[in-house]
Amino acid sequence: MSTVSVVIPCYNYGHFLADCVRSVLDEQPGADVRVLIIDDASPDGSGEVARALAAGDPRIEVRVHEQNRGHIATYNEGLLEWADGDYVALLSADDRLVPGALVRAAALLDAHPEAGFAYGRPLRFQHGGPLPQARTRSTGSVVYPGQWWLERRFREGTGCITSPEVVVRTSLQRKVGGYDPKLPHAGDIEMWMRLAAHADVGYVRGADQAFYRVHGNNMSTTDFGGQLDDLRQRLVAFDSVLDKCGDLLPDKDRLSRLARTRLARYALRRAYRAYDRGRTGVVPVEDLEAFAAECLPRYTALPEYRALVRRRRIGARTMPYLQPLALSAVADRGREWLWWESWKRRGI
């Protein structure tokens, strides 16, 4: 069995550390694993919790920062300076691995040296709630050509990975470098795309690979301004990949158009859905349209723009009553269902 280095960055998550580490060391039978916990100057005593865990298990190392360095620098410290196993995983202290996840991912990467990283389906759970029932028996795996997988990300304008479900070939991680400090909120998707530009992508079928904790203050679900920031960060991430990996991509101008068109459509869709849901008072409709124009000068030719114009004519007060009859709203629900079904089956 190959060796796996697991980096666990921690800031004020000391109360989650024991469960997180247990999922890595006690629930991966047969895996050769080492763990590094990096406490980023947490004021809640996380460093002491980490040291207590390390005192009871020689497979655990601990680093405690005297001053806070931020999550990107902490990630890169573990991934680039410390990790020396065949494979490396980055696991937030508030998340957990599904039993056997590292064994399944390592087996895929052992069998397919052309694959640069492996991932599987994560299970989301609400903070404070119970863990969902996880599937632990794989039905096989698939390896997607990296360039094909990468183009799909540009075509869809979004990622299909949260983060804790990924195991990366350490040699490739060092080759592509660490997380970009200019992308504090979209560094994950940019990293997966950079890796895919250099190697193929493995997906574990049938089994769940990680538990991803959803906190109540999650910006993408509660803050409408945060949703616009998310789109902006995605645009920077796609541009960053093209800038760093353009020499590996045969048609980067086409990829750029794909991503910018999709992001413009997302922005306009969020804008017109604000009319459907009676939320024009809280959703930054004008800013979303301005972002669409930034992405795509000819955004007014998009069907989403026409849908927005129709709703403006009808008016914010009337539109919520007509929303069930709007074809674009029905189409939105259909697209979302199809995407989720594809993601659940194939991880893409």
Side-chain angles (χ1 to χ4, degrees):
M1 171 62 68
S2 299
T3 57
V4 184
S5 301
V6 178
V7 179
I8 303 178
C10 180
Y11 181 74
N12 279 353
Y13 279 159
H15 50 299
F16 296 132
L17 264 177
D19 286 339
C20 177
V21 172
R22 187 181 305 114
S23 77
V24 176
L25 295 179
D26 298 342
E27 298 178 0
Q28 309 299 321
D32 185 355
V33 186
R34 289 198 311 126
V35 169
L36 173 66
I37 303 172
I38 308 179
D39 176 60
D40 196 21
S42 301
D44 71 339
S46 294
E48 287 72 17
V49 174
R51 289 188 176 105
L53 291 170
D57 195 318
R59 295 172 294 176
I60 303 173
E61 296 180 37
V62 175
R63 295 184 182 183
V64 178
H65 293 165
E66 293 186 4
Q67 295 182 332
N68 184 271
R69 301 180 189 176
H71 64 286
I72 297 295
T74 302
Y75 294 174
N76 291 340
E77 177 183 351
L79 294 174
L80 304 180
E81 298 178 17
W82 173 81
D84 61 0
D86 298 297
Y87 311 126
V88 61
L90 181 68
L91 182 65
S92 175
D94 60 330
D95 296 331
R96 296 167 66 171
L97 294 179
V98 167
L102 294 180
V103 178
R104 292 186 290 271
L108 188 159
L109 293 171
D110 284 346
H112 296 280
E114 74 277 14
F117 69 94
Y119 72 106
R121 183 180 173 186
L123 291 176
R124 295 171 179 259
F125 70 102
Q126 290 292 329
H127 174 63
L131 290 178
Q133 185 67 36
R135 303 169 300 166
T136 58
R137 180 169 296 182
S138 172
T139 59
S141 62
V142 60
V143 175
Y144 298 116
Q147 297 278 335
W148 179 89
W149 190 92
L150 177 62
E151 178 170 328
R152 191 174 177 94
R153 305 282 66 77
F154 276 81
R155 188 178 299 279
E156 294 186 353
T158 188
C160 58
I161 296 174
T162 52
S163 183
E165 68 271 30
V166 179
V167 177
V168 181
R169 200 175 295 277
T170 304
S171 58
L172 179 61
Q173 183 70 73
R174 289 175 177 158
K175 179 179 179 180
V176 304
Y179 283 75
D180 192 332
K182 297 191 294 294
L183 295 167
H185 304 300
D188 287 331
I189 182 176
E190 197 252 8
M191 176 58 72
W192 314 139
M193 290 191 292
R194 267 196 282 151
L195 292 169
H198 289 81
D200 292 342
V201 179
Y203 180 73
V204 177
R205 285 177 164 164
D208 303 307
Q209 288 292 91
F211 296 105
Y212 176 75
R213 189 183 304 268
V214 179
H215 295 272
N217 62 349
N218 187 289
M219 183 174 65
S220 64
T221 59
T222 63
D223 178 13
F224 295 110
Q227 293 182 20
L228 178 56
D229 289 340
D230 170 64
L231 289 174
R232 286 173 173 152
Q233 281 281 304
R234 281 194 239 170
L235 177 60
V236 175
F238 285 111
D239 286 346
S240 176
V241 171
L242 293 175
D243 181 58
K244 295 172 183 172
C245 306
D247 58 329
L248 300 173
L249 305 175
D251 195 355
K252 66 177 186 178
D253 291 338
R254 183 178 63 87
L255 291 176
S256 179
R257 287 194 299 272
L258 286 173
R260 286 174 173 269
T261 300
R262 178 58 67 181
L263 292 176
R265 297 183 71 176
Y266 277 137
L268 293 170
R269 191 176 301 161
R270 290 179 181 182
Y272 76 63
R273 291 294 284 164
Y275 283 86
D276 294 349
R277 297 167 178 170
R279 294 176 176 174
T280 54
V282 292
V283 174
V285 173
E286 302 300 326
D287 290 341
L288 286 165
E289 183 180 351
F291 174 79
E294 176 187 346
C295 290
L296 197 67
R298 297 184 61 187
Y299 76 99
T300 55
L302 296 173
E304 288 81 1
Y305 175 75
R306 294 193 291 272
L308 176 59
V309 170
R310 286 194 297 270
R311 284 157 173 78
R312 280 176 172 157
R313 289 173 179 166
I314 293 170
R317 291 186 178 182
T318 305
M319 193 60 221
Y321 299 101
L322 301 179
Q323 184 264 343
L325 304 177
L327 291 178
S328 53
V330 175
D332 283 348
R333 290 192 290 271
R335 279 190 294 264
E336 290 171 2
W337 182 83
L338 289 172
W339 191 92
W340 279 108
E341 287 301 308
S342 173
W343 178 77
K344 285 189 289 186
R345 292 195 308 271
R346 301 191 295 158
I348 52 174

